[in-house]
Amino acid sequence: DGGITQSPKYLFRKEGQNVTLSCEQNLNHDAMYWYRQDPGQGLRLIYYSQIVNDFQKGDIAEGYSVSREKKESFPLTVTSAQKNPTAFYLCASSDGHLNTGELFFGEGSRLTVL
Amino acid sequence: AQKITQTQPGMFVQEKEAVTLDCTYDTSDQSYGLFWYKQPSSGEMIFLIYQGSYDEQNATEGRYSLNFQKARKSANLVISASQLGDSAMYFCAMRGETGANNLFFGTGTRLTVIP
């Protein structure tokens, strides 16, 4: 079935370690996104990419990095520079036409820093 | 800049009754889009309904309808005949500034359907 796969679903990290969250889509969508969700704060945009080899910072990009080497993949690295990385991370994709189309989301990855 | 406000942190509704979830927005764009998403406890975000700023009719999708009042900058979600499976977080979102291809989300409303 077509969709977005995020892995791992749960991840624990020690302070000072970098971790990479995987996001893969087989919807043939051009655009992909990473959002962070904290309790009571809704979703906030970290990075998004509209085409391969191109991406833009969102509202809270500091301490994160991404790459978009393939259309179907958009991994997110949470670096040690991210001061409060414990959160729920959601990856999404769209056909690039948010004028009428919606975002399709994965099931999320929950990162906990010990 | 866009802003989405959801003032109801939590709502309760009796099964089979209708419920309205509030959403107000602010934007300087003339053309914009408004979205509603459902997030069950599993965490995934499920698209429910979309309203374009130039759409004259209120959007409807099954039991979901969007009460769009442009002059008041509100885009409330109405769920008719509530079901136990409707218990979830609900997020209102707006398409970003002209030329931007992303969504801004409100803080959400937790809906609980009571049997």
Side-chain angles (χ1 to χ4, degrees), chain A residues 33 35 37 40 42-43 45 48 50 59 88 90 96 98-99 101-103 105-106, chain B residues 35 37 39 42-45 47 50 91 95 99-107:
Chain A
Y33 311 77
Y35 285 90
Q37 185 177 19
L43 278 69
L45 182 67
Y48 68 102
Q50 299 200 47
D59 299 319
F88 188 57
L90 283 158
L98 275 180
N99 289 328
E102 74 270 23
L103 293 181
F105 284 86
Chain B
F35 302 76
Y37 283 83
Q39 186 180 41
S42 58
E44 65 188 298
M45 297 283 284
F47 168 73
Y50 167 83
F91 291 93
R95 189 183 72 236
N101 199 30
N102 57 67
L103 293 184
F104 289 91
F105 287 82
T107 53

Side-chain angles (χ1 to χ4, degrees), chain B residues 26-38:
Chain B
D26 194 17
T27 180
S28 56
D29 286 348
Q30 296 300 309
S31 176
Y32 51 90
L34 295 154
F35 302 76
W36 275 93
Y37 283 83
K38 173 184 178 181

Side-chain angles (χ1 to χ4, degrees), chain B residues 43-62:
Chain B
E44 65 188 298
M45 297 283 284
I46 302 168
F47 168 73
L48 296 177
I49 198 166
Y50 167 83
Q51 178 83 43
S53 57
Y54 289 115
D55 294 339
E56 294 185 355
Q57 299 286 333
N58 284 345
T60 60
E61 289 287 348

Side-chain angles (χ1 to χ4, degrees), chain A residues 7-56:
Chain A
S7 63
K9 192 164 186 176
Y10 298 95
L11 185 61
F12 297 89
R13 179 194 108 174
K14 293 182 179 179
E15 284 191 21
Q17 290 181 335
N18 292 357
V19 293
T20 297
L21 308 181
S22 171
C23 178
E24 303 277 332
Q25 55 101 357
N26 61 4
L27 300 168
N28 200 34
H29 283 168
D30 288 314
M32 296 187 74
Y33 311 77
W34 275 104
Y35 285 90
R36 170 180 170 143
Q37 185 177 19
D38 295 283
Q41 293 194 42
L43 278 69
R44 293 180 291 169
L45 182 67
I46 305 173
Y47 268 98
Y48 68 102
S49 167
Q50 299 200 47
I51 57 172
V52 174
N53 292 323
D54 183 56
F55 47 83
Q56 288 78 43

